[in-house]
Every structure is written in structure tokens, then in C-alpha cells.
Amino acid sequence: KGILFTAPSETGKSTQAELWHQLRGAEIINGDRAAVRIEKDRIFAEGIPFSGSSVYCHNRSLPLAAVVYLAQAPVTTIRRLRGYEAFARIWEGCSINTWDREDMASVSESVRRVAETIPVFHMPCRPDETAVLALENALKEVGQ
């Protein structure tokens, strides 16, 4: 299953992905961005054909297990987001043609479906194994 890390630039998304890769053998599909595909009642994280500054760029599709909004903090904590909080954190990371009403409506509907279907977490964290452990435990609690 796939985990999408989202946050403002320089927060630690690549660091968290690398920790999962190094400590748990996770495959990094794309180090910069991913696409989300909704197919009937299933949601997938999709590799995209460009990777910016990252060396990771794989044409893979995985069922999406969680979206994790990161922040830097001296102590790692995690909490599940719901409703508008979940929607807003996902929306913040989307690429949207804001001049195109149809695109805005389509993206808004997709974000709503992801926020209602997939666990979304806020994880202020340290750049170490405490973050991996906290997310693992949170995923277990929601059955992922």
C-alpha cells in the first residue's frame, strides 16, 4: 500500500520517505509528487513520469493507505484528521488549474472522496525512527 506525505516545501517529506526506505525497506515511487486515481470505490497513489530533483520516479500504482501531513517538531506526535481539517491538508498539496471551473470542481470532489475514505494524519515529528514508529502504530489502529 502507498503512503502520501504532504507538507510545505522543506518540511521533511523526502526525509520521511527515506526513513521508511532505509528502516522498513519501503519503495519510494516518486520523491517529488504523485498522482491520485479514484476507481469506483478504490483510491490509488500513482507514480508520475517526472521527478524534479528526486532520483525516484517509478511507474507504479498502489492502493492508498494514508495521507500524512508533516510538520517539524522536537517530539513526534500524530493525530487523525477528519472533515474539513483532512480536506484542507490534502487540498493544500494539490496542483490545480484555478482558472478552470471544471478542474476546480473535479479536484474538489476528488479531495472530498479521499478525505472521507482514506485516513489522514497530522504528524509533527523528528527526522528519525520515532516518526516511522508513530505512523506504523497509527496505521495499525485504523486497520491499514
Side-chain angles (χ1 to χ4, degrees), residues 68-71 77-81 89 120-124:
V68 182
Y69 187 85
L70 297 172
T77 59
I78 190 167
R79 73 179 176 91
R80 184 152 182 199
L81 302 179
R89 294 306 189 195
V120 179
F121 298 99
H122 180 232
M123 188 169 74

Side-chain angles (χ1 to χ4, degrees), residues 56-77:
Y56 299 106
C57 183
H58 302 285
N59 185 20
R60 293 282 314 273
S61 176
L62 295 169
L64 184 58
V67 176
V68 182
Y69 187 85
L70 297 172
Q72 296 176 357
V75 175
T76 298
T77 59

Side-chain angles (χ1 to χ4, degrees), residues 68-135:
V68 182
Y69 187 85
L70 297 172
Q72 296 176 357
V75 175
T76 298
T77 59
I78 190 167
R79 73 179 176 91
R80 184 152 182 199
L81 302 179
R82 297 181 189 278
Y84 178 75
E85 269 191 309
F87 181 96
R89 294 306 189 195
I90 297 168
W91 181 265
E92 188 179 311
C94 292
S95 296
I96 307 163
N97 296 326
T98 56
W99 60 88
D100 183 331
R101 279 191 172 167
E102 287 182 25
D103 191 49
M104 290 282 291
S106 175
V107 172
S108 180
E109 175 60 15
S110 295
V111 169
R112 182 193 65 77
R113 287 187 63 191
V114 171
E116 289 177 353
T117 307
I118 302 298
V120 179
F121 298 99
H122 180 232
M123 188 169 74
C125 61
R126 296 174 42 85
D128 61 23
E129 192 172 9
T130 63
V132 174
L133 292 169
L135 182 52

Side-chain angles (χ1 to χ4, degrees), residues 6 24 80 137:
T6 186
R24 300 299 187 265
R80 184 152 182 199
N137 290 334

Side-chain angles (χ1 to χ4, degrees), residues 19-62:
L19 283 167
W20 276 83
H21 177 69
Q22 292 171 3
L23 299 173
R24 300 299 187 265
E27 179 183 8
I28 300 173
I29 302 302
N30 193 298
D32 287 320
R33 286 211 173 261
V36 172
R37 177 173 52 93
I38 300 173
E39 187 176 288
K40 296 182 182 173
D41 293 331
R42 298 182 64 198
I43 300 174
F44 298 88
E46 303 280 337
I48 56 176
F50 53 87
S51 62
S53 62
S54 173
V55 299
Y56 299 106
C57 183
H58 302 285
N59 185 20
R60 293 282 314 273
S61 176
L62 295 169

